[in-house]
Amino acid sequence: MSAISAAEKVDGFTRKSVRKAQKQKRSQGSSQFRTQSSLVELSPLPQLKDAPTTEQQELFCQKLQQCCMLFDFMDSVIDLKSKEIKRATLNELVDFVSTNRGVLVEAAYPEIAAMISNNIFRTLPPSDNPDFDPEEDEPTLEASWPHIQLVYEFFLRFLENPDFQPSIAKRYIDQKFVLQLLELFDSEDPRERDFLKTVLHRIYGKFLGLRAFIRKQINNIFLRFIYETEHFNGVAELLEILGSIINGFALPLKAEHKQFLMKVLIPMHTAKGLALFHAQLAYCVVQFLEKDPTLTEMVIRGLLKFWPKTCSQKEVMFLGEIEEILDVIEPTQFKKIQEPLFKQIAKCVSNPHFQVAERALYFWNNEYILSLIEENIDKILPIMFGSLYRISKEHWNPTIVALVYNVLKTLMEMNGTLFDELTTSYKAERQREKKKEQEREELWQKLDELRVKETSGMLNNTHSLQNAQNNNNTSAK
Amino acid sequence: MYGRYCSSIVSSAENPVSRRSRKQQLESKMAGADGDDSLYPIAVLIDELRNEDVQLRLNSIKKLSTIALALGVERTRTELLPFLTDTIYDEDEVLLALAEQLGSFTALVGGPDFVYCLLPPLESLATVEETVVRDKAVESLRKISHEHSPVDLEVHFEPLVKRLASGDWFTSRTSACGLFSVCYPRVSSTVKAEIRQHFRTLCSDDTPMVRRAAASKLGEFAKVLELDYVKSDIIPLFTTLASDEQDSVRLLAVEACVSIAQLLPQEDLEALVMPTLRQAAEDKSWRVRYMVADKFSELQKAVGPEITKNDLVPAFQNLLKDCEAEVRAAAANKVKEFCENLPDDSKENIIMSHILPCVKELVSDTNQHVKSALASVIMGLSTILGKDDTIEHLLPLFLAQLKDECPEVRLNIISNLDCVNEVIGIRQLSQSLLPAIVELAEDAKWRVRLAIIEYMPLLAGQLGVEFFDEKLNSLCMAWLVDHVYAIREAATCNLMKLVEKFGAEWAQNTIVPKVVAMANDPNYLHRMTTLFCINALSEACGQDITTKQMLPIVLKMSGDQVANVRFNVAKSLQKIGPVLESTALQAEVKPVLEKLATDQDMDVKYFAQEAISVLALA
């Protein structure tokens, strides 16, 4: 309390960044080991490399069992000796599976799976900061990272070992295992999510039988994220994995995959924290379109449906994604969506937020987009003209005005005659719009009058209706 | 505009071609109606529904009832509803408005006999992706289900529920979960059996979203089932859902547990419900344990006193000692209610030997949310324990919490002083109370200061005027010169409440002199505070004090060099005018206001003129 400066007292508010700095970096533990009763102290086992080959396997399993013991890292002074023994043993195990051949015998698999599950599978604790803003706040780090990191390391080396046999491992790395792994993607610790990403990718690559299941579960996580909780820390990582999965889809695409695109990936654009995973999301969408260009129309119409209405930052992201799509679009597909798309772009170039306007106007620096526009200038120019013409006179930002002039010039060079026609008819067009607007208003006014009349009439009707019903009821008795 | 993309959402069995042709037919009919005044609303609707501006589309949907009214029941049924069913492809916001409108459309389609006409559009809406739209559609469907006759319910409504329950995409199955309980009580026993079967299927659906929806409706559905089926159908479902692999499903089963336990006879609870409840209280996921803690009072009431004594007491102790602060805080919140509802024969014993030790530990918890949750209920224990135990066991805890480092904890204690006052009298606490109040009154966070000000009148009432004058009065005056406006404002309001409590004479002796003295403060904000205080106090102090002591100060301030003070003088005069003697009004107020009305500052002029006209001095 006393640390609060005089300046702060004056306005009573503190800047978020100042408050953040005062807080210490936090780390979190998980609930599980705090429920355990007192631990047995670990005693060091002999080194694996010193053991005779015949005894190596047994020692390996003993060490795996030893590493199943969990420690409380929230208490930094407790069990120091045992913690150090486990750390050294884990290091040795990592080394052992990555440098030796022929050590992964069948009997070791259940021990390995048990050691990994014991260490990494845990209920993630409640977030310390319920309104955690991943863009601004420091993530809470996993307290037991000194051990967990080595366990992940070991897991990866195990999966990547040339002797690794999925046919044996699938008994332990099953659907339940994968489900628990996926839940960990919600970890706040980015280091953990990074390991999980690689691990899951390897599992997807090696266990063909789990692929459909993994996709379905990711699907469920995403749907929950979009429609229920709006909170899941590992969305970007999962999308990154999906990006490479989509890349490997066989053609023609299955209905399941198309459904995933339209019912999961596109609605995902509505999420509040889009900025955190937009790059990965856009990559997935573009991957789909490169696989199957006929999806373009659906995708663009989907994006237009979810176009941000109030968030300019998101609008800039959408424009970025549209440009990525236009980069790979086929001219025939372009024709199908040019009209709705350029209506939206016309709105964007005249956006009062200069970053939105600027991002949209940058489309005209893209050679391929320019060629598409030129091919369809007779369709696009009439859509764009009104907005550009108006904004060239009205926008508050001089950079935007300059960009608009350039765009108008480019468009004029593409079709001078049409451009002149539109310039001359601009005023008349405006007036017609105004008149239409006026007519609409009058129409609604009349309708409202009508309602007043009808409501009074209706009231009488309901009365008689109720009476009739009452009569029916009495007669039924 | 989005017709092609979204046509997949419309679940109508028709093929798109026939749908389009019907739409064209309809549109041509409507277009032809232009000349006729009574028919023209639908033309407007069509036009507006096609408008590119969402807001305009939204407007027309929100006025749907107007249009239906104008069309009459028959055309609403034959033209408007099919048209709406076909056009369900719009933005979610429009769809939400539509779903809501249709819920109260029964009279507009011709009453209960025709209410089934509303089902097709609502069915489509119940399958869309966006949760709010779907939920609203389900809400409307539930609403109109009651308006169906039993026959229509079986012929039209129940088949819809079945279609939704066996839909391909999870959204329709989720929606179905909310509809079983409304149709079950009113259908024949064969249909009932089908409904139970559908519910069972959804409880083991392979998407967790559907299982969550089913779990959240489990309690509601159990309530409409016959007791035998509750035992044979609901209990197995409950047990399965409560051990689901996803904690988000398991925690919903805890909610259902309350309803189910209420339905079962006492002798069945132990075998049918308790194993699951025990398991939930020790779930490995803190979310589930949190839910148990959060629902603890309801659970306690539902299972009755015997099970509470044997099972819930140890479970509650564990929750109070849980390793996650979230769980402990939720449990701490329930301490008072739990103790209150314990069976009378063992209440005191359980509290003293089982609950109080845990509570003592929570007083020094590491997490401030836990402590402040406890502080908000702990005082309530005193009424349960009575005077002696309170003094011996609870008082030390209250005192410890009054000294807590976290202001919220102290505030929560102070805000609940009334419970303790009734049992042992507040004097027991006053020694510790005072430092706590003083510290909160000077807290660096203005919201904390604001909170304590709000308790001042309450404290004053309980501590009495003597104690107040001696210890707290100076604090109340200090707030008047706080650097945050919200505090000064609250302090003014506080003075008014104190005067209401202690009377005008007290005000004259203790408050008014200090307020009046501030009129000479060099800081214009403080001078304005004088005016605000006078505004607040005049009525409570009465005519005499206002005219004799306050008015001269206000009038004197009309010559202030700061315009803000001067126009506040005008405002104050307007405010206290009705309290003043009429002679003073004419002789003293009028000339001052007239002078202010010619001030060079336009705001001063404005408010002076306003006061003149309100006080009718012109």
Side-chain angles (χ1 to χ4, degrees), chain A residues 350-403:
Chain A
S350 54
N351 195 303
H353 195 302
F354 81 98
Q355 285 176 332
V356 175
E358 189 181 53
R359 187 67 193 83
L361 289 165
Y362 279 164
F363 282 14
W364 273 263
N365 293 345
N366 184 315
E367 288 297 327
Y368 183 60
I369 297 179
L370 270 186
S371 72
L372 290 169
I373 295 176
E374 183 154 21
E375 249 171 71
N376 302 284
I377 186 71
D378 50 329
K379 283 274 183 332
I380 291 172
L381 189 52
I383 301 172
M384 293 300 301
F385 186 80
S387 290
L388 289 171
Y389 192 81
R390 184 168 56 82
I391 218 67
S392 70
K393 297 194 156 57
E394 284 175 11
H395 206 281
W396 61 273
N397 184 301
T399 322
I400 298 299
V401 174
L403 282 169

Side-chain angles (χ1 to χ4, degrees), chain B residues 117-162:
Chain B
C117 297
L118 298 172
L119 297 180
L122 282 171
E123 181 174 353
S124 303
L125 289 167
T127 61
V128 303
E129 256 80 31
E130 180 50 55
T131 327
V132 272
V133 177
R134 239 186 307 136
D135 287 351
K136 191 53 91 181
V138 171
E139 195 187 312
S140 289
L141 280 169
R142 286 169 71 111
K143 204 165 147 195
I144 64 168
S145 73
H146 303 296
E147 291 161 337
H148 281 70
S149 68
V151 177
D152 280 349
L153 204 64
E154 277 195 31
V155 177
H156 299 286
F157 198 89
E158 203 267 343
L160 169 147
V161 179
K162 270 196 264 181

Side-chain angles (χ1 to χ4, degrees), chain A residues 240-452:
Chain A
E240 217 178 310
I241 299 172
L242 281 167
S244 55
I245 292 179
I246 296 164
N247 210 329
F249 281 163
L251 285 172
L253 288 177
K254 286 192 212 161
E256 174 213 328
H257 301 323
K258 290 185 189 172
Q259 192 182 47
F260 175 69
L261 171 66
M262 292 316 294
K263 297 215 169 189
V264 181
L265 290 185
I266 298 297
M268 221 158 166
H269 287 82
T270 59
K272 200 168 64 185
L274 180 66
L276 292 165
F277 54 82
H278 182 254
Q280 291 84 345
L281 181 59
Y283 178 79
C284 286
V285 171
V286 173
Q287 287 294 305
F288 262 113
L289 298 186
E290 288 204 89
K291 282 268 161 191
D292 183 356
T294 60
L295 295 168
T296 313
E297 186 184 355
M298 284 203 308
V299 165
I300 290 196
R301 285 186 189 277
L303 288 176
L304 291 174
K305 182 181 177 202
F306 293 126
W307 201 271
K309 297 201 171 50
T310 52
C311 182
S312 306
Q313 192 205 3
K314 262 185 165 181
E315 219 171 337
V316 173
M317 286 184 252
F318 270 60
L319 285 165
E321 187 167 348
I322 292 285
E323 182 163 4
E324 278 181 56
I325 293 172
L326 289 178
D327 269 333
V328 299
I329 203 168
E330 287 182 359
T332 46
Q333 296 296 326
F334 181 80
K335 282 196 191 346
K336 289 185 191 166
I337 46 84
Q338 55 184 359
E339 218 168 301
L341 178 62
F342 276 83
K343 276 184 185 160
Q344 182 58 56
I345 293 175
K347 279 186 209 156
C348 291
V349 294
S350 54
N351 195 303
H353 195 302
F354 81 98
Q355 285 176 332
V356 175
E358 189 181 53
R359 187 67 193 83
L361 289 165
Y362 279 164
F363 282 14
W364 273 263
N365 293 345
N366 184 315
E367 288 297 327
Y368 183 60
I369 297 179
L370 270 186
S371 72
L372 290 169
I373 295 176
E374 183 154 21
E375 249 171 71
N376 302 284
I377 186 71
D378 50 329
K379 283 274 183 332
I380 291 172
L381 189 52
I383 301 172
M384 293 300 301
F385 186 80
S387 290
L388 289 171
Y389 192 81
R390 184 168 56 82
I391 218 67
S392 70
K393 297 194 156 57
E394 284 175 11
H395 206 281
W396 61 273
N397 184 301
T399 322
I400 298 299
V401 174
L403 282 169
V404 166
Y405 272 116
N406 280 336
V407 168
L408 278 172
K409 197 164 143 262
T410 320
L411 291 173
M412 191 170 69
E413 281 161 7
M414 286 178 183
N415 188 341
T417 342
L418 181 57
F419 193 91
D420 289 343
E421 275 170 34
L422 289 166
T423 321
T424 28
S425 63
Y426 177 77
K427 270 212 178 109
E429 193 77 16
R430 267 293 121 105
Q431 253 151 13
R432 229 180 52 210
E433 268 172 37
K434 258 190 201 149
K435 202 172 153 231
K436 223 172 129 193
E437 178 70 15
Q438 216 171 6
E439 277 173 4
R440 244 202 62 248
E441 261 166 42
E442 281 168 17
L443 226 49
W444 274 109
Q445 220 162 15
K446 277 191 202 165
L447 189 60
D448 281 338
E449 284 162 22
L450 206 66
R451 179 177 59 173
V452 177

Side-chain angles (χ1 to χ4, degrees), chain B residues 18 110 155 227 326 364 412 522 545 566:
Chain B
S18 77
V155 177
L227 184 59
E326 256 78 359
S364 47
N412 281 346
I545 299 177
R566 294 200 302 278

Side-chain angles (χ1 to χ4, degrees), chain B residues 487-548:
Chain B
I487 299 298
R488 297 197 298 276
E489 192 191 23
T492 327
C493 182
N494 173 43
L495 286 187
M496 183 180 73
K497 287 182 187 154
L498 290 174
V499 173
E500 279 167 6
K501 208 156 232 144
F502 294 150
E505 197 184 327
W506 176 79
Q508 190 173 10
N509 296 329
T510 44
I511 303 265
V512 176
K514 291 184 190 166
V515 168
V516 165
M518 264 198 314
N520 299 318
D521 198 285
N523 185 335
Y524 84 99
L525 292 172
H526 297 173
R527 298 201 295 278
M528 290 214 301
T529 308
T530 298
L531 292 171
F532 298 147
C533 286
I534 288 175
N535 293 348
L537 294 175
S538 63
E539 210 164 311
C541 286
Q543 196 183 57
D544 195 47
I545 299 177
T546 308
T547 313
K548 292 207 175 108

Side-chain angles (χ1 to χ4, degrees), chain B residues 251-534:
Chain B
L251 65 87
L252 290 167
V254 174
E255 263 187 302
C257 187
V258 177
S259 318
I260 293 171
Q262 281 167 346
L263 297 170
L264 293 174
Q266 189 70 32
E267 65 269 20
D268 290 329
L269 284 176
E270 178 54 44
L272 299 180
V273 173
M274 286 317 290
T276 310
L277 182 55
R278 275 186 216 116
Q279 176 195 320
E282 284 167 8
D283 199 282
K284 67 176 174 10
S285 162
W286 61 270
R287 289 185 186 85
V288 179
R289 299 197 304 274
Y290 172 90
M291 196 54 138
V292 175
D294 195 48
K295 297 272 166 234
F296 216 82
S297 303
E298 289 94 324
L299 288 167
Q300 183 187 9
K301 279 180 202 144
V303 299
E306 278 313 304
I307 295 181
T308 296
K309 266 193 267 181
N310 302 330
D311 273 282
L312 293 195
V313 172
F316 193 60
Q317 282 176 293
N318 285 336
L319 292 171
L320 288 172
K321 290 187 226 157
D322 198 277
C323 57
E324 290 302 346
E326 256 78 359
V327 181
R328 290 199 302 279
N333 255 322
K334 302 286 166 189
V335 163
K336 183 194 153 204
E337 246 179 296
F338 179 76
C339 293
E340 243 170 17
N341 296 326
L342 284 169
D344 282 330
D345 56 343
S346 48
K347 189 183 270 182
E348 199 179 328
N349 180 26
I350 292 177
I351 296 177
M352 296 305 291
S353 51
H354 295 98
I355 305 299
L356 211 54
C358 302
V359 168
K360 276 181 189 156
E361 273 175 50
L362 290 182
V363 167
S364 47
D365 199 278
T366 49
N367 184 293
Q368 66 170 50
H369 298 293
V370 177
K371 286 186 292 187
S372 81
L374 181 70
S376 65
V377 298
I378 191 173
M379 309 290 271
L381 290 179
S382 52
T383 30
I384 307 172
L385 286 180
K387 189 171 177 183
D388 294 337
D389 280 334
T390 300
I391 292 175
E392 192 183 338
H393 298 284
L394 291 177
L395 197 56
L397 304 182
F398 299 159
L399 296 178
Q401 290 216 300
L402 266 180
K403 294 190 191 99
D404 199 276
E405 57 177 8
C406 163
E408 208 184 318
V409 176
R410 283 174 269 149
L411 264 179
N412 281 346
I413 290 287
I414 291 176
S415 61
N416 286 299
L417 279 177
D418 46 341
C419 337
V420 114
N421 195 17
E422 286 159 23
V423 183
I424 57 169
I426 210 163
R427 293 277 161 183
Q428 295 270 7
L429 278 172
S430 55
Q431 282 297 321
S432 315
L433 205 49
L434 196 65
I437 294 173
V438 172
E439 210 179 308
L440 288 170
E442 287 162 359
D443 197 279
K445 294 198 179 67
W446 67 267
R447 280 172 217 277
V448 174
R449 299 199 296 277
L450 187 64
I452 188 73
I453 293 178
E454 276 161 14
Y455 294 120
M456 269 300 150
L458 182 81
L459 284 170
Q462 283 166 2
L463 292 165
V465 66
E466 231 168 87
F467 186 89
F468 185 86
D469 277 345
E470 197 180 314
K471 318 272 187 191
L472 300 179
N473 194 10
S474 54
L475 281 180
C476 290
M477 300 319 287
W479 281 319
L480 287 175
V481 292
D482 199 279
H483 50 260
V484 175
Y485 176 73
I487 299 298
R488 297 197 298 276
E489 192 191 23
T492 327
C493 182
N494 173 43
L495 286 187
M496 183 180 73
K497 287 182 187 154
L498 290 174
V499 173
E500 279 167 6
K501 208 156 232 144
F502 294 150
E505 197 184 327
W506 176 79
Q508 190 173 10
N509 296 329
T510 44
I511 303 265
V512 176
K514 291 184 190 166
V515 168
V516 165
M518 264 198 314
N520 299 318
D521 198 285
N523 185 335
Y524 84 99
L525 292 172
H526 297 173
R527 298 201 295 278
M528 290 214 301
T529 308
T530 298
L531 292 171
F532 298 147
C533 286
I534 288 175

Side-chain angles (χ1 to χ4, degrees), chain A residues 9 31 123-124 126 179 216 220 224 227-228 259 262-263 301 309 343 440 444 446 451, chain B residues 1 5 40 48 52 56 63 66 91 129 131 169 206 208 212 245 248 284 286 324 326 483:
Chain A
K9 252 194 158 174
S31 3
T123 309
L124 295 169
L179 205 60
K216 203 168 94 190
N220 287 342
R224 183 162 186 230
Y227 294 115
E228 293 183 13
Q259 192 182 47
M262 292 316 294
K263 297 215 169 189
R301 285 186 189 277
K309 297 201 171 50
K343 276 184 185 160
R440 244 202 62 248
W444 274 109
K446 277 191 202 165
R451 179 177 59 173
Chain B
M1 190 164 143
Y5 155 57
Y40 112 140
E48 297 290 280
E52 276 176 40
L56 297 179
K63 292 186 178 171
T66 315
E91 302 240 1
E129 256 80 31
T131 327
W169 190 240
D206 67 339
R212 277 195 286 277
E245 62 198 7
S248 53
K284 67 176 174 10
W286 61 270
E324 290 302 346
E326 256 78 359
H483 50 260

